[in-house]
Amino acid sequence: MGDSVIKRNGCREEVLLAISAVIKQKGRNSFTVTEVLHYLKGVGSTYKESTIRTQISSRCCSNSPNHHATTYRDLERIGAGVYRSLHHI
């Protein structure tokens, strides 16, 4: 987590950058919401935990129910609380 406070460019962008960093650290394309929350807290994100969770589990997840006006096909749920990047960032 050698990064300093990340530049606030929108929650989706921060989440995707965090996912990329987590995937790189782990060496495999899978992550949990908790791992992303921990990473974002460590780099100084100011987004609420609930906002980050919603980005991952709903707005950016291709196989979740569509409950938002705008959604993205960035992620896929591959298990209980486990996701992967569809773009392998």
Side-chain angles (χ1 to χ4, degrees):
M1 251 189 279
D3 302 298
S4 58
V5 176
I6 54 182
K7 184 178 175 185
R8 191 166 180 144
N9 289 318
C11 187
R12 177 176 174 241
E13 186 173 332
E14 281 192 19
V15 166
L16 293 177
L17 289 171
I19 290 167
S20 179
V22 168
I23 287 171
K24 184 177 180 182
Q25 287 173 353
K26 292 175 71 172
R28 68 180 182 275
N29 187 7
S30 68
F31 62 92
T32 65
V33 174
T34 302
E35 290 170 328
V36 175
L37 288 168
H38 184 260
Y39 180 88
L40 285 171
K41 182 178 180 181
V43 296
S45 177
T46 58
Y47 285 103
K48 292 181 182 180
E49 180 178 320
S50 61
T51 301
I52 295 165
R53 286 182 181 279
T54 298
Q55 286 292 314
I56 295 170
S57 65
S58 186
R59 295 199 73 198
C60 295
C61 187
S62 66
N63 58 346
S64 70
N66 186 357
H67 296 294
H68 304 279
T70 304
T71 58
Y72 306 94
R73 296 184 50 80
D74 298 317
L75 312 172
E76 180 180 49
R77 185 176 298 112
I78 58 173
V82 182
Y83 299 83
R84 73 178 182 101
S85 169
L86 292 176
H87 308 296
H88 195 57
I89 307 162

